Amino acid sequence: MIEMRDFPDDFLVKVMEDVIEDLHGHVHRVSNLAVDLGRGLGLGEDDLDRLALAGVLHDVGKIHMDPGILGKPGPLDPGERDLMERHPELGFAMTRNRLDPKISEAILYHHERYDGSGYPFGLAADAIPILSRIVLVADAFDAMTSKRAYQPALPVDFAVHEIRKNTGSQFDPQVVEIFLQLAEVDALPLELSA
């Protein structure tokens, strides 16, 4: 398995974490969980390597966002939300000529929802690449269980319940099945409290 020190974009990750406070540690936990989910789904080593890097770089487009929006303690207004929802496309534009196309696609589609109500294109079910469907679950879990500018860290049980509840709407049922197996054995990566 590729480790962070092997990634050619390690410097970019450090820039991301410096610019976007909420990303510190988030991208590594998303990467680790995405790989565990992919392994549980029986993906091959090449796809696991792609997942590792897609998990780390899924939010790279946010380095183009206004830090005031990224660190806003309350809800985003509609204009701010529209800007925020551009980060997958910005990340894709940054990586498409530099990385394996499947990694760039995982970044582009990681906010598409299983029922077609996600963004940026409203893809549904199997039209969403499996790597993106995996990153979505890993990203959602870590976003809920980590302290963010707009919310405190939520309990793991709450996050697991939310992912289970949104199976088939937001999340791919097969990915959730593996996620729930990991949750059952306390194998989910968590933010370390200070």
Side-chain angles (χ1 to χ4, degrees):
M1 179 59 55
I2 294 177
E3 296 185 32
M4 271 309 299
R5 68 177 176 272
D6 299 326
F7 290 163
D9 295 304
D10 192 35
F11 175 76
L12 181 56
V13 173
K14 296 212 179 307
V15 169
M16 286 169 48
E17 290 184 338
D18 286 346
V19 171
I20 310 162
E21 186 176 328
D22 281 349
L23 289 186
H24 185 72
H26 168 70
V27 295
H28 302 291
R29 291 186 301 274
V30 170
S31 177
N32 291 339
L33 180 52
V35 169
D36 288 345
L37 293 169
R39 189 174 286 119
L41 287 165
L43 298 185
E45 285 300 314
D46 287 345
D47 277 336
L48 295 178
D49 289 345
R50 290 178 183 112
L51 266 176
L53 192 48
V56 168
L57 294 177
H58 72 279
D59 278 339
V60 70
K62 287 184 177 179
I63 65 173
H64 294 291
M65 303 275 106
D66 177 349
I69 294 173
L70 294 171
K72 187 174 180 178
L76 300 177
D77 68 37
E80 292 167 336
R81 177 152 301 286
D82 287 345
L83 289 172
M84 183 66 77
E85 289 181 358
R86 292 190 59 228
H87 82 269
E89 293 172 276
L90 294 169
F92 176 76
M94 292 173 65
T95 61
R96 70 178 174 192
N97 294 322
R98 293 175 175 85
L99 297 175
D100 178 311
K102 287 187 176 183
I103 296 169
S104 297
E105 286 177 359
I107 293 167
L108 177 61
Y109 302 125
H110 80 274
H111 280 291
E112 297 289 356
R113 295 172 55 123
Y114 198 73
D115 65 4
S117 66
Y119 63 88
F121 303 110
L123 301 181
D126 291 341
I128 306 165
I130 186 62
L131 302 185
S132 300
R133 288 180 268 152
I134 292 169
V135 170
L136 175 63
V137 171
D139 184 33
F141 173 75
D142 193 71
M144 284 187 274
T145 58
S146 301
K147 182 180 176 219
R148 307 316 277 282
Y150 53 87
Q151 76 178 26
L154 299 169
V156 170
D157 289 346
F158 175 84
V160 170
H161 172 75
E162 286 297 301
I163 289 173
R164 180 184 287 120
K165 181 175 84 172
N166 289 290
T167 300
S169 58
Q170 185 171 0
F171 306 114
D172 179 329
Q174 289 182 304
V175 178
V176 172
E177 182 180 338
I178 301 302
F179 171 82
L180 294 174
Q181 290 172 15
L182 293 172
E184 231 175 75
V185 296
D186 291 327
L188 301 173
L190 298 171
E191 180 177 35
L192 298 175
S193 48

